[in-house]
Amino acid sequence: MMLTCLANCVRGCRGRVLLPVRTAKSFSTRLAEVGRLEAPKESGAYETGQLFLHRVFGYRGLILFPWLARVYDRDLNTKKEKLGDAAENLNNNNQQQQGREVKGRTHTYYQVLIDARDCPYIRAQTEAVTFLGHQDSARSLYAIPGLDYVAHEDILPYTASENSTQPPLQHELFDKFLSPVPNRDPPFGAQQTLIAWQRKNHPWLELSDVHKETTEGVRVTVIPFFMGCRTTQSSNVYWWRYCIRLENLGPLPVQLRERHWRIFSLSGTLETVRGRGVVGQEPLLSAALPAFQYSSHVSLQAPSGHMWGTFRMERSDGYMFDCRIPPFSLESKHESEAPTNQPPTPATNQ
């Protein structure tokens, strides 16, 4: 039973959170209660230690700390353009020109831990956070397992069952980052190790811009991250990672067949990349499994650039179309610069 079906299970259980448990002898599955749902917050941010279910991917998670991101939604911009055109026809003003500007809106995202028990069942890479080593001369690429970035509206908060024999979350960093706090809601607080880890790793964890666009009912969300710079005797190579989420909002299944990228570097080069699928897969987005998320990397021999492109999609009725990937900038920053989007420091358990 896929965990992406959890939202449907939860709605029919009067607030109880039920998860599938596999029986070792028969390899069958049964539902076990792990907690009780809370009312989602319409405003304000969730605190460090809050347990939640991911509204789309269905995994169990725990919030470490929030980020404030600028969300550039080209769908909202398109609606404004239409309104601007209508206003211009009525009173001959300049609304159309203003409507073409994509303006960012501040929105809350969260750095979270993913429960290791759920990782095999979700359609999202669970090692999406990568960075360049800063202690060795080779500056190797490292991955942090079981971390994700989750939008505020995708959080379904819950409290763990008091009589549960299972730990509230299984992750190798859970005991290092958090500890129980009596008479606190949520009942886990940040240890000093989490605060120190947050400050040390801020450069490659920072989430600042989010880009969204919908084509033919398929929404693409892109979040770019600067990872650092590798310096050689002849040149500097700048690295970024980008997380992409595809979500089918339409009634018919659709499958990703090809990718087509355009990568522009400040040095003046324009690269075209084509290929089958993404990260070796051609994900099918259906009503039961509407979303897929993955991460990839790009390097430039310049401190900034831009990326944009399309995904070639095939609908179940045979209709093919190009799904637009919203343009996004690749910006570098010096490692010694003060962070521009420092997340709030998690409250300690003291």
Side-chain angles (χ1 to χ4, degrees), residues 160-216:
S161 298
E162 296 181 358
N163 59 352
S164 176
T165 59
Q166 298 289 330
L169 190 92
Q170 286 189 4
H171 191 284
E172 61 182 21
L173 296 176
F174 178 75
D175 291 332
K176 298 177 182 178
F177 283 172
L178 300 114
S179 58
V181 183
N183 302 319
R184 182 179 184 269
D185 186 19
F188 303 101
Q191 298 188 41
Q192 289 296 331
T193 50
L194 173 58
I195 298 172
W197 177 86
Q198 171 193 359
R199 292 172 177 168
K200 176 183 177 181
N201 296 287
H202 182 279
W204 51 81
L205 293 175
E206 180 182 9
L207 181 153
S208 56
D209 294 343
V210 179
H211 303 265
K212 296 184 177 186
E213 186 167 4
T214 303
T215 308
E216 301 279 355

Side-chain angles (χ1 to χ4, degrees), residues 205-321:
L205 293 175
E206 180 182 9
L207 181 153
S208 56
D209 294 343
V210 179
H211 303 265
K212 296 184 177 186
E213 186 167 4
T214 303
T215 308
E216 301 279 355
V218 177
R219 179 188 292 156
V220 177
T221 302
V222 184
I223 308 177
F225 300 85
F226 179 62
M227 295 173 57
C229 176
R230 279 199 179 108
T231 302
T232 64
Q233 293 181 350
S234 58
S235 65
N236 293 332
V237 180
Y238 298 84
W239 283 79
W240 291 264
R241 76 177 184 276
Y242 52 91
C243 297
I244 292 188
R245 171 170 152 180
L246 297 100
E247 189 171 3
N248 183 11
L249 307 178
L252 296 179
V254 62
Q255 189 164 13
L256 190 156
R257 294 301 189 186
E258 298 176 358
R259 68 187 185 279
H260 178 202
W261 282 105
R262 307 274 281 180
I263 307 169
F264 175 76
S265 171
L266 187 63
S267 62
T269 61
L270 179 62
E271 182 181 2
T272 298
V273 178
R274 291 181 179 269
R276 295 287 298 181
V278 290
V279 292
Q281 301 184 51
E282 296 182 21
L284 175 67
L285 310 178
S286 62
L289 301 169
F292 180 82
Q293 181 174 294
Y294 75 96
S295 293
S296 192
H297 305 88
V298 63
S299 62
L300 301 176
Q301 291 185 329
S304 63
H306 285 82
M307 289 181 66
W308 68 97
T310 57
F311 293 123
R312 188 67 170 170
M313 312 297 292
E314 181 179 5
R315 223 163 50 192
S316 59
D317 59 3
Y319 175 66
M320 305 281 289
F321 63 94

Side-chain angles (χ1 to χ4, degrees), residues 3-15:
L3 286 174
T4 42
C5 301
L6 285 179
N8 293 329
C9 295
V10 166
R11 279 195 291 269
C13 297
R14 297 184 180 180

